[in-house]
Amino acid sequence: MTALAHEAPESTPGLDLDELLWQAWKAMELPEGLRAEIVEGFIEVSPTGRYSHSKLSNQLRRELSRYLDGQSSPYVVNNDINVVHGRKVWIPDAVVSPEDDEEFVTDDGLGLDARCVGLIVEVVSPGHDGTQRDRVRKRRAYARAGIPVYVLIDAYDDHGVVSVLTDPRPDEATYGGENRVRFGTEATIPEGPAKGFVIGEAITGPPRNA
C-alpha cells in the first residue's frame, strides 16, 4: 500500500513536498509488521516479507557476512536500517556499509547517509506494487543516490533472476551496467566491498516453476 502527498497543505506555507513527506514519515507510528519508506514522492507502507522472502534474505545476509569476514573487510551487512538520501529514506533487505560508521550516521540519528553504502540488495516481493517498487522506483532512486551496486533477487522474473546493476548515473536515474543471471547459476558481484561474492543456488534455490 502507498500514501502520496500531492501538494503542500495551506497550513504549512514554505514547506516543499520533500520536507512535508519527511516530517510525515518521522511522525508515523506503524503497527508491528509494517514499514514505511519515502520513494519518489511517495510514502510507501509495506508489510515485512512472507516466509520465503525472509528465508532468502536471511540466507543472503549470512553468506555475505561470512564472505566479508573472510576477506577481513572493514564493511559489514546490515538490514532493518534506514538509508537516507536527502529527504528520501529506504529500508533495504541488505546493506553493505562500513563497520565503523559513526561519521555516516545522520544528524538526527535516524539512519545512515547513502554516501557510505557500497551495495544494496532487495529481494523482490510478489504482486504489482512489490515488483514495481523494487524493479522500477527503487532502481531509479538508488541510481539517483549513486549507490554503486544494486542487486535484485527476483523470484517472479522468468522463473527467478538475479540482476546485478552497476555504474550508477544519478543525472539519468539509471544504471549503465546490468548483468542478469537465472536462479540456479551464479551471479558474481564485480566491484565494491563485496567484489567476488557469488550469489548462487545455495542462496536463491533452483529456478522457480521451471
Side-chain angles (χ1 to χ4, degrees), residues 72-108:
S72 298
S73 173
Y75 286 80
V76 294
V77 184
N78 289 297
N79 71 305
D80 292 330
I81 193 168
N82 297 322
V83 175
V84 180
H85 176 63
R87 286 294 187 254
K88 310 294 189 296
V89 60
W90 317 296
I91 310 172
D93 290 310
V95 177
V96 174
S97 56
E99 183 172 17
D100 183 9
D101 59 9
E102 288 301 315
E103 68 176 290
F104 302 109
V105 177
T106 57
D107 292 340
D108 51 21

Side-chain angles (χ1 to χ4, degrees), residues 17-39:
L17 176 59
D18 284 347
E19 183 63 25
L20 283 171
L21 289 173
W22 180 253
Q23 296 299 331
W25 175 81
K26 290 200 297 183
M28 293 180 75
E29 295 184 8
L30 295 175
E32 186 176 353
L34 294 177
R35 64 181 184 178
E37 303 170 284
I38 303 177
V39 185

Side-chain angles (χ1 to χ4, degrees), residues 175-186:
Y175 281 91
E178 179 176 5
N179 182 35
R180 288 169 48 86
V181 175
R182 291 280 301 274
F183 280 17
T185 53
E186 295 185 342

Side-chain angles (χ1 to χ4, degrees), residues 55-210:
K55 183 177 180 180
L56 200 160
S57 298
N58 290 335
Q59 180 67 11
L60 177 279
R61 289 192 295 268
R62 284 193 296 270
E63 295 295 332
L64 185 49
S65 290
R66 290 191 190 106
Y67 181 81
L68 293 174
D69 288 345
Q71 302 292 311
S72 298
S73 173
Y75 286 80
V76 294
V77 184
N78 289 297
N79 71 305
D80 292 330
I81 193 168
N82 297 322
V83 175
V84 180
H85 176 63
R87 286 294 187 254
K88 310 294 189 296
V89 60
W90 317 296
I91 310 172
D93 290 310
V95 177
V96 174
S97 56
E99 183 172 17
D100 183 9
D101 59 9
E102 288 301 315
E103 68 176 290
F104 302 109
V105 177
T106 57
D107 292 340
D108 51 21
L110 289 175
L112 287 178
D113 192 304
R115 63 193 171 92
C116 78
V117 173
L119 177 145
I120 278 177
V121 182
E122 296 284 9
V123 177
V124 178
S125 299
H128 180 75
D129 283 348
T131 56
Q132 289 299 299
R133 180 172 55 249
D134 293 334
R135 294 176 187 171
V136 180
R137 295 192 294 275
K138 281 192 170 181
R139 177 175 178 149
R140 291 192 297 244
Y142 292 153
R144 287 191 189 99
I147 302 299
V149 182
Y150 175 33
V151 177
L152 293 97
I153 302 178
D154 192 345
Y156 309 98
D157 180 2
D158 193 22
H159 304 306
V161 169
V162 177
S163 296
V164 180
L165 306 173
T166 56
D167 184 21
R169 301 176 181 179
D171 292 342
E172 301 172 18
T174 190
Y175 281 91
E178 179 176 5
N179 182 35
R180 288 169 48 86
V181 175
R182 291 280 301 274
F183 280 17
T185 53
E186 295 185 342
T188 303
I189 305 302
E191 61 186 70
K195 181 178 180 179
F197 177 68
V198 174
I199 302 172
E201 189 167 342
I203 294 172
T204 65
R208 310 292 173 87
N209 303 317

